[in-house]
Amino acid sequence: MSAKNLFRALLLATATTTLAGAASADTQRRMEKLDRGAIAVKGEGGVLVSWRLLAGDADSLKFDIWRDGKKVKTVTGVSSWLDPDGVPGSSYQIQIAGQKTALFKPWENGWLDIPLDLPAGGTTPDGQAYTYTANDASVGDLDGDGDYEIILKWDPTNSQDNSRGGYTGPVLLDAYTLEGKKLWRIDLGKNIRAGAHYTQFMVADYDGDGKAELVVKTADGSRDTTGKVIGNPNADWVSKDGELEQGDRTGSVQRDGKLMAQFQGRILSGPEYLSVFNGQGEVVDTIPYWPTRVPEGDTATPERQKEIWGDGYGNRSERYLAGVAWLDGHLPSAVMARGYYGRSTLVAYDYRNGKLTQRWTFDSAAPGVPEGFGGQGNHQLSVADVDMDGRDEIVYGSMALDDNGQPLWTAKLFHGDALHVGDLDPEHPGLERFGVHESPRANGGIGSAMLDAKTGAVLWTTPTDKDTGRGIAIDVDPRYPGSEAWASNSGQMYSAKGQVISETRPRQQNFAVWWDGDLLREILDGNTISKWDWTAQETKPLLVATGFTSNNGTKATPTLSGDILGDWREEVVLRAEDNRSLRIFSTAIPTSYGFVTLMQDGQYRAAIAWQNTAYNQPPHPSFHLGDGMKAPPKTRIKTGN
């Protein structure tokens, strides 16, 4: 099928739908009402003007492009056009059905800068100074105007992994408009420890009022943008046991009569909360966090902590995950999780009529839960409608929960560091899950595996005797259907069927982005976007963001990456090396394909919300978007309040 006929077929299939599996009327998803997100980016050969196709657009809908007050082009079926006569000083509008967007001008250098309010640093109780680094971000329509705002997490430079002790500074959350205006700041306070595994902030319009809320774990002393304090403003639950020995990772809590685990800076007692903040940064509801550290409450001896979680110093009990899922097929819920190395607990919360309420809870250690659902979690989760009933399931590493919180399947492959869920093999029915694993002694020597996402059935595996730390599954080679997969345990590249297709694979294996004009996906690693040249068997850089950098150490992940503006291709948000600004990069490369914005695909939108969870992962839509793709199935959504 030609590119022209393909995009027309795709648009027809999605003219009044989103792009995520079929749903009945009673499970019609409510999603944010988006504007056209129109942008213009100066590049080679002119200015690329692009905007969103929306669910509800007819395939015959005409888009008139105006430059400097004159109509210069009419297009249908696509949402971008390269203006060969455009210059940095040009002004554009898109006219749809007689209505024009606001004027917008080109991003002269191919990017948009957003200045940040860099927080002042501080000093820990033991006299160590720290500053702040811009870390992960999310997006949401905080004011209901159809345009996204950016919600940014600030991490102190002394943020810690759970395996280590040490004081940290407070975690801060800011909101900014795309025009660079700071809207608010939330201070989570001294009783929330800083690190990749502690604060997962979930942004979504939970109550369907047209404006996004923020759900996040809080504690005594957390403070909203108005200065309102949650809990006891004077409480200090930070452990000061600085004399304890550093680095005991055995889980032992007693040796020669002395506590050996490192407690300094940890928060292992005191009340825990879950709070909702509205789009203005004001706390609107707070409830106790579930599960508590031990069944008896929020305080326990190290021995009791070890009995419940597997260690007594918070390495396991203080590891959190979170996601946003349409569990009833109608409105999104916040899914909060605690623990994944052993005991694994998840809870779903609804925010309706100004109140947080529990929808369901899951505890792998609870009576009646089948064996094999503990110890299967990753450093992230995924959300997808794996059984195609219009309601989302939670893929929790090597196991999954149904939309009602009941155990769905477990593959018993144990913990891993990377997870991909999507239609990775379009020739196999339904969705697939690809992940890497670090417990070959426990799982039979498996380093990576492709599973059926509905049943957990193992489709194929790769062998290893070592921890496999990274892996990815994206479509980079048009000679093979679906996504190609590779991982750090092997120098080989695999087809979606598990066949070795190359003895050479890309060195990069962290993130992905749709950037150029074809349907293959590009590789995002650090501050560089690369294209896999399958003929030369090497990656070639398309963009190097000099002066801007990635987050989270060796994970080298962006502040955010997703289809947040313009046409269906993805933007990349990176922080400046001095942490005083964010830069949004958007492609200036023409494309002949047109798709409804990926942000109106339920699985993709959920993935943008949970992207900031622990070891960040790239988003995947609910359908195969790649070379040789077929038209996706229809679904329906409702936008706005």
Side-chain angles (χ1 to χ4, degrees), residues 28-33 141-144 203-215 276-279 284 324-326 328-334 349-355 359 637-641:
Q28 187 175 1
R29 291 181 187 236
R30 184 184 294 270
M31 302 181 76
E32 60 223 333
K33 185 176 182 180
D141 184 3
L142 299 177
D143 55 11
V203 180
D205 179 11
Y206 293 99
D207 58 1
D209 69 348
K211 299 179 181 180
E213 293 84 30
L214 165 71
V215 173
V276 180
F277 298 82
N278 64 19
V284 290
V324 171
W326 279 255
D328 63 359
H330 180 54
L331 286 172
S333 301
Y349 290 99
D350 294 338
Y351 177 67
R352 314 282 192 261
N353 301 315
K355 295 294 181 182
R359 172 174 285 270
I637 65 169
K638 184 176 181 180
T639 60
N641 55 358

Side-chain angles (χ1 to χ4, degrees), residues 272-315:
E272 300 175 286
Y273 308 114
L274 188 72
S275 295
V276 180
F277 298 82
N278 64 19
Q280 290 75 51
E282 303 165 339
V283 63
V284 290
D285 196 30
T286 295
I287 61 175
Y289 191 88
W290 185 92
T292 51
R293 294 185 178 94
V294 293
E296 306 88 85
D298 293 309
T299 302
T301 64
E303 289 81 2
R304 181 60 171 150
Q305 289 260 11
K306 182 183 179 184
E307 179 184 352
I308 297 297
W309 295 100
D311 67 63
Y313 57 101
N315 184 35

Side-chain angles (χ1 to χ4, degrees), residues 398 413-416 433 435-439 443 446-449 467-468:
S398 291
L413 296 175
F414 299 97
H415 173 73
R433 169 263 190 220
V436 300
H437 304 280
E438 64 177 47
S439 303
N443 69 13
I446 293 173
S448 63
D467 176 347
T468 302

